[in-house]
Every structure is written in structure tokens, then in C-alpha cells.
Amino acid sequence: MKTENYIPQKAKIIKKEYLCDDVISLRLKVLGRKSFSFLPGQFVMLSVLGFGEVPIGITSAPKEKRYFEVAVRSVGMVTKKIFTLKEGDYIGVGGPFGNGFPLSEIKGKDLVLVAGGIGLAPLRSLIKHIAENRRLVKSLTIFNGARCPEQLLFRDEYSDWRDFSEVSLSVESCDSSWKDCVGNISEIFGRTKIKRGSIMIVCGPPPMFDPVINHYAGKSVSESDLYFLLERKMKCGVGKCQHCTCGELYVCLDGPVFAYDKIKYNQEAFK
Ligand SMILES: Cc1cc2nc3c(=O)[nH]c(=O)nc-3n(C[C@H](O)[C@H](O)[C@H](O)COP(=O)(O)OP(=O)(O)OC[C@H]3O[C@@H](n4cnc5c(N)ncnc54)[C@H](O)[C@@H]3O)c2cc1C
Ligand code: FES
């Protein structure tokens, strides 16, 4: 990894958008760096002086190197501060860090992405990458769930995504105008058949993991083809502080993306 990735660099917020009431999208340009290269599924450490730093996945396409985008949900001290920043303000950026999604394993395969809430954020980078490289996978299926229709992120992009993928949506509460699945995301699992031998990547809150494992692991998706993006508190992002450890694994260095067969006996991984 380049030294410049370790040291937080100043980045300018060149665009800010509200994706829903508690999630913003920021477009960031790192100062003094002509290009910012990353892989889908990698994350950055965003820092605000006096508040701290947080790991946040990259949502934009890797082909665009002049800037990158992130989506931040306001949950606690640092993310609430980031929420208040405006276009033209500056923020610290470290990274990119982590292994990213398994791009070589998905080549030519049927790929299924399962997203819950803010979990769609890092997957959007992969979806955009596939949009630009349509022969990368044989087929793409996206299962996306949220609490209510207004909380579904990147809603205005779904019609474009449907040009090259099948998109199934579910929400837990809605009014009668909602025509897709109602309930948690496992409602979709019962209704939509996926091809045996598919690769599946899951990003979302841990309560979503058990239904995925029960429905697919070792059945239509082999345990080594089922991937989870694990979220852990992080401080350094580079294997020094141990804040992110899950048993023997460092989420910042070994992950954040792990195949199920590598973590299935790891008590910490699914908390
Ligand atoms: C690899 C990785 C990628 C991530 N990508 C994104 C992303 O793209 N967008 C995004 O918004 N967040 C993402 N996160 C989560 C984000 O890092 C946390 O929400 C953030 O660190 C919270 O910091 P805070 O100081 O705002 O909240 P804190 O003050 O640390 O926590 C405030 C409250 O929020 C809860 N909380 C903290 N972290 C989480 C969490 N991950 N999920 C749910 N509740 C939490 C705490 O338990 C506490 O109750 C990612 C995390 C990892 C490890
Ligand atoms: S975040 Fe410090 S060791 Fe992983």
C-alpha cells in the first residue's frame, strides 16, 4: 500500500446529497492527488478534527478516479458531525483500505447481491463497475431491503440497474401504494429463485445474516461462494490498534469481505 494511503489527507466535499432523512452522499476530491484508485468493497477512514474517524465504504465506480463517493448514515458522534458538513468544507481521508469484493471469483458467474439498509452503499460501487463491464458476470440479481420505501437508498438508479440486473425490493412497513415485498428481506428469498452455483455477497446488519445462511449456505450457494461484509469499530485501519479484531481476524486487514467457510466457526464474526 502507498504511504499516502496511511496518512489522512485533506479532501474537499464537492457534492452533498440527501439519500433519505438520515443518510447523505458525499463526493470527495482528495487535494494534491491526481487520481484516487480503489476496488469495489474497499473503504476509507473519514476523519473530522476534534471528533474522530470512522470507516466508510466507497459507493462510486472505480473507473472514476478524479473523485470518489461515500454514503454516511448519521448514527453517533463522528457520523453526526459529518452530516453537518457542507459543500466546500474539508474532511480527512485515509485509505483506501481492505480487500474489497472478490472480483476474480465472480467472473463469468451468476452473482446475487443481498443488501440491507446502508449495506447497499458499498455494493453500489460493484453494481456500477458491472454496469460498465457487463460481461464480467453471467447474470446479476439484487435483493435490497429497508425499513420503509423512503429508506431505500439510490432509488432513482434502480431503473438503470434493471437494464442489466434483476432487482427485488422489500420493506418492513409501507402504505398500500407499495407493490413489492413487505416484511424483512428473507421474504424475497422465498419468492425469488436463484441459480444453483451462484456467488452471493451480503452487506447489511448482522440480524440479516442468519436468514441468509439458513436459506442458502451449502444449498444453492456453496459456503466458499457466500461472502459477508463485516462491520467493526476501527481506529487505525491498518492492523495496529486491534479495535476491529474478530477472534484471530483483523477486519481492516483480512476483510472487510469474508467467505462464509472462513468465518463460520468464528464466534465474534456474526455479532
Ligand atoms: C468496513 C466498514 C464499512 C462501513 N461502511 C459504512 C458506510 O458505507 N456508510 C455508513 O454510514 N457506515 C458505514 N460503516 C459503519 C460506520 O463506520 C459506523 O456507523 C461509524 O463508525 C459510527 O461512528 P460514530 O462515531 O458516528 O458512532 P458511535 O458514537 O461510535 O456510535 C453511536 C451509536 O451507533 C451505534 N453504531 C456504531 N457503529 C454502528 C454500525 N456500524 N451499525 C449500526 N450502529 C452502529 C453504536 O452502537 C452506538 O449506539 C462501515 C463500517 C465498516 C467497518
Ligand atoms: S482498525 Fe486497527 S487493527 Fe484494525
Side-chain angles (χ1 to χ4, degrees):
M1 193 192 289
K2 295 177 192 158
T3 323
E4 60 186 4
N5 292 7
Y6 288 107
I7 304 161
Q9 291 181 300
K10 207 169 164 184
K12 188 173 186 174
I13 298 174
I14 54 176
K15 192 172 176 192
K16 175 181 179 179
E17 275 178 294
Y18 284 82
L19 299 181
C20 63
D21 59 350
D22 61 350
V23 182
I24 50 169
S25 169
L26 298 177
R27 182 175 290 178
L28 302 173
K29 164 99 187 82
V30 180
L31 302 188
R33 210 156 140 175
K34 275 202 190 116
S35 70
F36 188 87
S37 299
F38 61 91
L39 298 168
Q42 285 195 298
F43 65 93
V44 286
M45 296 297 287
L46 293 186
S47 54
V48 186
L49 212 60
F51 288 84
E53 56 184 346
V54 286
I56 298 289
I58 301 171
T59 62
S60 47
K63 193 175 156 197
E64 177 54 76
K65 297 189 191 306
R66 291 166 300 172
Y67 58 77
F68 68 94
E69 292 172 344
V70 290
V72 181
R73 167 157 282 152
S74 167
V75 294
M77 189 160 98
V78 181
T79 50
K80 279 185 179 153
K81 178 62 191 170
I82 292 173
F83 219 72
T84 66
L85 299 177
K86 304 179 296 297
E87 286 178 7
D89 285 347
Y90 295 95
I91 191 166
V93 170
F97 299 121
N99 56 357
F101 298 124
L103 290 184
S104 44
E105 280 77 2
I106 67 177
K107 250 184 204 160
K109 299 278 180 57
D110 296 300
L111 176 66
V112 183
L113 306 179
V114 183
I118 192 78
L120 185 63
L123 288 173
R124 178 185 182 245
S125 174
L126 180 58
I127 295 167
K128 284 183 153 291
H129 182 59
I130 293 171
E132 287 160 359
N133 302 278
R134 296 207 179 176
R135 293 215 292 230
L136 180 66
V137 293
K138 196 159 147 202
S139 72
L140 176 64
T141 304
I142 302 167
F143 295 163
N144 182 26
R147 285 200 305 275
C148 58
E150 298 71 36
Q151 289 271 333
L152 286 166
L153 304 182
F154 308 110
R155 290 189 294 280
D156 55 348
E157 300 182 13
Y158 299 167
S159 64
D160 289 347
W161 296 358
R162 285 190 164 112
D163 285 346
F164 57 92
S165 71
E166 197 184 312
V167 182
S168 297
L169 305 173
S170 76
V171 295
E172 286 166 29
S173 64
C174 56
D175 63 24
S176 58
S177 63
W178 178 255
K179 300 290 176 246
D180 291 274
C181 278
V182 180
N184 68 33
I185 197 158
S186 54
E187 285 295 318
I188 299 177
F189 304 162
R191 292 185 188 200
T192 315
K193 253 195 144 22
I194 66 160
K195 295 199 183 100
R196 188 165 282 277
S198 293
I199 303 245
M200 182 174 272
I201 303 177
V202 184
C203 298
M208 207 175 89
F209 293 175
D210 262 354
V212 172
I213 293 164
N214 293 338
H215 206 94
Y216 296 111
K219 297 168 189 163
S220 40
V221 183
S222 81
E223 293 184 349
S224 57
D225 287 339
L226 174 58
Y227 292 87
F228 291 93
L229 187 146
L230 300 186
E231 287 196 5
R232 283 295 173 281
K233 291 234 168 206
M234 289 188 188
K235 207 162 186 165
C236 68
V238 292
K240 300 273 178 229
C241 71
Q242 299 211 334
H243 267 68
C244 69
T245 51
C246 257
E248 289 177 352
L249 296 174
Y250 285 70
V251 174
C252 66
L253 282 184
D254 305 317
V257 182
F258 295 92
Y260 180 56
D261 63 340
K262 302 283 187 301
I263 52 172
K264 66 186 277 197
Y265 299 115
N266 187 323
Q267 303 284 323
E268 299 291 314
F270 295 100
K271 282 185 186 160

